[in-house]
């Protein structure tokens, strides 16, 4: 890899006059130094949310899901909205890691570690919602194909809800292995720098005997490619399977062939927005401006524009079909003239403004390279994608085929509490990760220092002149 030629005109991926030792010091610093006041404040705030959410989940299990705002018409509400939202957020990590690795995109090396961690933590949050939505959590193991001594096979394999179990558990397993495997050289680096016996023991165990030998690197790169090959179809299969929960039903607005590609594009769109949100914070807090550069931020904004364009086309298609069909049942689906002016007009226009209007600013380079604006837009997209899932579920269900069944959804404090709890849980996991694991793959960065480092590119440019 180090012998690969790269044109001097390309933007450097590592700025500042960095050496191999500088990279090691910069990546190890957040782990080896004491946590700052801001980190502790963030952790306490996240823990408060997590404990409150855990209390709401315990109340739900003890009381039943009647504690939520569900009713006889809308029997999926905030719970499945949050489930699909969290699964979508978990999409960008595997895309950045696996697909961009196969395409040899070097800019992924500064952002893939945090994106992979985000994937795993988001899937953990997503898994909470279907489990508690069952009502009887203690028989949750029925969804797995159990040996016959447990009784008959309880799972209905014709149900897309059961496909979700297998798709998401496979996705979680492969993503975790991919993430952990990439961390092994970095664990060895922390092990070799450890100052206390306890730290050394922990990182020695995590490093799996890594010694940096040529054979170790050969196996590391081979396994990376194998796992990337396995994970790439998962990027497309997982959210496709989630979309089948809706597309295989007979509910108006759900029974649509556009859902699988539309859900995948929307998941990558929201996932990249969350990666931007977390990386911009990590970049500032951990002082990683030389490694997560403006070039990285702009490239990710271009991906957001691309996937946002796909989502926009899907929105336009859904809206057109709702209007052109002439069916009065289609006139109150989540993207239709009826939704735009009906009682859920605020949710419809939140979706349009957050996902279509605001991200369109990234067509302009000045907006794409503005850090504060990028952070604001990333947050707005995350809000907009939540509204999209809310609209798909609640607006479509609120107007049944029988006018006597028409109703409105009102979330309870328990609904809101469970959702806030998952945000707190996710934040706790990410904050602990940033303090114990290297947030950038330093071994991979070192492999491109001589072709993409600012110092070396400047020298190469001088030679060409």
């Amino acid at each position: 890899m180090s012998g690969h030629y790269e044109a001097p005109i390309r933007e450097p991926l590592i700025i500042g006059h960095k050496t191999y030792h500088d990279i090691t010091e910069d990546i190890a610093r957040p782990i080896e130094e004491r946590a700052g006041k801001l980190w502790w404040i963030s952790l306490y705030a996240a823990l408060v949310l997590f404990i409150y959410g855990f209390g709401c989940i315990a109340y739900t299990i003890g009381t039943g899901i009647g504690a939520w705002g569900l009713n006889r018409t809308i029997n999926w509400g905030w719970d499945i909205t949050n489930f699909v939202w969290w699964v979508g957020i978990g999409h960008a990590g595997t895309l950045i890691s696996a697909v961009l690795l196969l395409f040899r995109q070097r800019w992924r090396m500064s952002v893939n570690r945090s994106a992979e961690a985000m994937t795993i933590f988001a899937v953990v949050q997503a898994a909470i919602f279907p489990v508690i939505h069952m009502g009887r959590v203690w028989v949750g193991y029925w969804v797995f194909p159990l040996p016959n001594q447990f009784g008959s096979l309880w799972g209905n394999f014709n149900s897309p809800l059961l496909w979700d179990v297998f798709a998401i558990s496979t996705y979680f397993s492969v993503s975790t292995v991919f993430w952990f495997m990439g961390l092994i050289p970095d664990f060895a680096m922390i092990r070799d720098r450890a100052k206390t016996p306890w730290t050394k023991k922990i990182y020695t165990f995590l490093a799996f005997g890594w010694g940096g030998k040529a054979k170790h690197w050969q196996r590391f790169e081979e396994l990376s490619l194998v796992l990337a090959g396995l994970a790439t179809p998962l990027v497309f299969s997982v959210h496709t399977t989630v979309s089948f929960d809706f597309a295989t039903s007979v509910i108006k607005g759900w029974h649509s062939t556009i859902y699988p590609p539309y859900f995948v594009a929307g998941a990558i769109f929201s996932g990249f927005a969350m990666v931007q949100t977390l990386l911009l914070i990590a970049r500032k807090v951990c002082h990683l401006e030389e490694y997560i550069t403006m070039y990285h931020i702009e490239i990710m904004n271009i991906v957001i524009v691309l996937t946002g364009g796909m989502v926009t086309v899907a929105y336009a298609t859904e809206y057109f079909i709702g209007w052109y069909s002439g069916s009065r049942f289609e006139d109150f689906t989540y993207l239709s003239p009826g939704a735009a002016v009906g009682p859920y007009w605020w949710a419809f226009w939140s979706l349009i403004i957050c996902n279509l209007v605001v991200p369109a600013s990234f067509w302009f380079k000045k907006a794409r390279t503005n850090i504060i604006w990028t952070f604001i837009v990333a947050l707005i997209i995350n809000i907009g994608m939540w509204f999209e899932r809310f609209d798909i579920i609640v607006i479509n269900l609120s107007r049944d085929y029988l006018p006597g069944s028409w109703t409105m959804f009102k979330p309870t404090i328990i609904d809101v509490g469970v959702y806030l709890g998952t945000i707190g849980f996710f934040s706790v996991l990410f904050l602990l990760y940033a303090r114990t694991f290297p947030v950038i793959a330093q071994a991979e960065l070192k492999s491109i220092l001589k072709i993409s480092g600012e110092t070396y590119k400047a020298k190469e440019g001088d030679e060409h002149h």
Side-chain angles (χ1 to χ4, degrees):
M1 186 179 280
S2 58
H4 176 85
Y5 170 75
E6 187 171 281
I9 196 169
R10 280 184 177 270
E11 291 268 353
L13 294 174
I14 303 169
I15 60 174
H17 302 292
K18 296 294 180 185
T19 63
Y20 291 116
H21 180 66
D22 291 337
I23 293 176
T24 303
E25 289 291 327
D26 292 342
I27 304 304
R29 189 180 302 117
I31 300 167
E32 294 174 345
E33 290 183 354
R34 292 178 70 84
K37 191 182 289 184
L38 187 62
W39 185 87
W40 283 109
I41 292 169
S42 304
L43 182 66
Y44 287 138
L47 277 170
V48 168
L49 278 182
F50 171 52
I51 292 165
Y52 174 61
F54 184 79
C56 290
I57 291 172
Y59 181 80
T60 300
I61 293 169
T63 310
I65 58 171
W68 295 346
L70 306 177
N71 52 54
R72 62 180 183 172
T73 303
I74 303 172
N75 42 29
W76 279 2
W78 273 49
D79 47 309
I80 304 300
T81 299
N82 298 331
F83 162 68
V84 181
W85 186 73
W86 277 117
V87 173
I89 280 174
H91 248 58
T94 308
L95 181 92
I96 288 172
S97 297
V99 180
L100 299 183
L101 172 66
L102 296 176
F103 282 101
R104 301 292 185 191
Q105 295 298 307
R106 288 190 181 81
W107 63 268
R108 61 173 272 286
M109 293 178 179
S110 291
V111 300
N112 67 331
R113 178 68 51 72
S114 292
E116 289 164 22
M118 181 198 77
T119 290
I120 294 160
F121 302 153
V123 171
V124 169
Q125 311 315 314
I128 292 170
F129 289 98
V131 171
I132 55 175
H133 188 270
M134 289 176 181
R136 291 182 289 171
V137 181
W138 48 93
V139 292
Y141 63 88
W142 283 0
V143 298
F144 297 107
L146 300 168
N148 282 342
Q149 55 262 41
F150 284 91
S152 59
L153 292 177
W154 292 99
N156 174 14
F157 289 97
N158 292 324
S159 168
L161 291 169
L162 197 65
W163 307 346
D164 276 348
V165 174
F166 293 97
I168 290 167
S169 58
T170 306
Y171 183 62
F172 177 79
S173 305
V174 173
S175 298
T176 304
V177 172
F178 199 9
W179 177 62
F180 187 84
M181 186 273 306
L183 277 160
I184 288 173
D186 294 351
F187 285 147
M189 179 265 288
I190 302 294
R191 173 198 67 196
D192 296 340
R193 293 169 56 92
K195 292 183 174 65
T196 64
W198 182 240
T199 308
K200 195 172 186 70
K201 277 182 185 174
I202 292 171
Y203 285 101
T204 299
F205 173 74
L206 292 172
F208 278 16
W210 179 271
K213 296 173 185 173
K215 193 70 179 172
H216 292 177
W217 280 111
Q218 181 193 347
R219 288 172 179 161
F220 178 83
E221 290 178 9
E222 284 174 358
L223 184 58
S224 295
L225 287 172
V226 168
L227 288 172
L230 284 171
T232 299
L234 285 176
V235 173
F236 301 98
S237 71
V238 170
H239 226 59
T240 300
T241 305
V242 170
S243 76
F244 289 162
D245 294 346
F246 304 94
T248 58
S249 74
V250 294
I251 304 291
K252 58 187 175 47
W254 285 4
H255 192 71
S256 171
T257 52
I258 200 175
Y259 265 38
Y262 160 46
F263 267 52
V264 171
I268 296 168
F269 182 53
S270 62
F272 264 84
M274 184 60 93
V275 170
Q276 285 283 44
T277 308
L278 295 173
L279 276 180
L280 289 173
I281 296 170
R283 177 180 186 265
K284 189 73 179 169
V285 173
C286 299
H287 307 293
L288 299 171
E289 289 87 353
E290 287 94 352
Y291 306 105
I292 304 170
T293 67
M294 187 52 69
Y295 178 69
H296 291 96
I297 293 165
E298 187 180 4
I299 289 281
M300 286 199 287
N301 285 340
I302 289 169
V303 175
I304 287 172
V305 168
L306 174 67
T307 50
M310 294 177 187
V311 170
T312 302
V313 170
Y315 288 168
T317 306
E318 288 281 283
Y319 191 90
F320 175 77
I321 289 170
W323 168 77
Y324 190 70
S325 66
S327 165
R328 61 184 183 181
F329 299 118
E330 288 286 337
D331 193 41
F332 206 81
T333 56
Y334 73 105
L335 280 168
S336 64
V341 296
Y344 284 108
W345 63 269
W346 49 272
F348 175 91
W349 290 109
S350 297
L351 160 70
I352 299 299
I353 292 165
C354 294
N355 288 352
L356 270 63
V357 178
V358 175
S361 62
F362 282 160
W363 282 98
F364 303 100
K365 187 176 179 71
K366 195 170 182 182
R368 284 199 306 271
T369 53
N370 185 313
I371 289 178
I372 295 171
W373 180 243
T374 296
F375 185 72
I376 292 168
V377 172
L379 283 176
I380 288 171
I381 291 171
N382 285 318
I383 294 166
M385 290 308 290
W386 187 90
F387 270 109
E388 184 211 278
R389 278 64 183 250
F390 177 81
D391 291 359
I392 286 174
I393 292 166
V394 172
I395 294 181
N396 283 339
L397 289 175
S398 65
R399 292 292 184 268
D400 205 347
Y401 290 109
L402 295 173
S405 301
W406 290 4
T407 185
M408 294 286 286
F409 174 79
K410 291 186 176 64
T412 66
I413 195 168
I414 306 298
D415 278 311
V416 179
V418 173
Y419 175 54
L420 292 177
T422 57
I423 291 176
F425 190 14
F426 177 84
S427 303
V428 167
L429 291 173
F430 200 86
L431 286 163
L432 293 175
Y433 146 78
R435 283 287 302 148
T436 50
F437 294 167
V439 294
I440 292 180
Q442 54 90 26
E444 293 190 14
L445 275 188
K446 288 175 182 176
S447 71
I448 61 166
L449 179 63
K450 286 197 173 180
I451 54 173
S452 289
E454 189 176 27
T455 308
Y456 296 95
K457 289 187 85 71
K459 284 179 188 172
E460 201 174 322
D462 292 340
E463 286 169 14
H464 280 273
H465 285 304

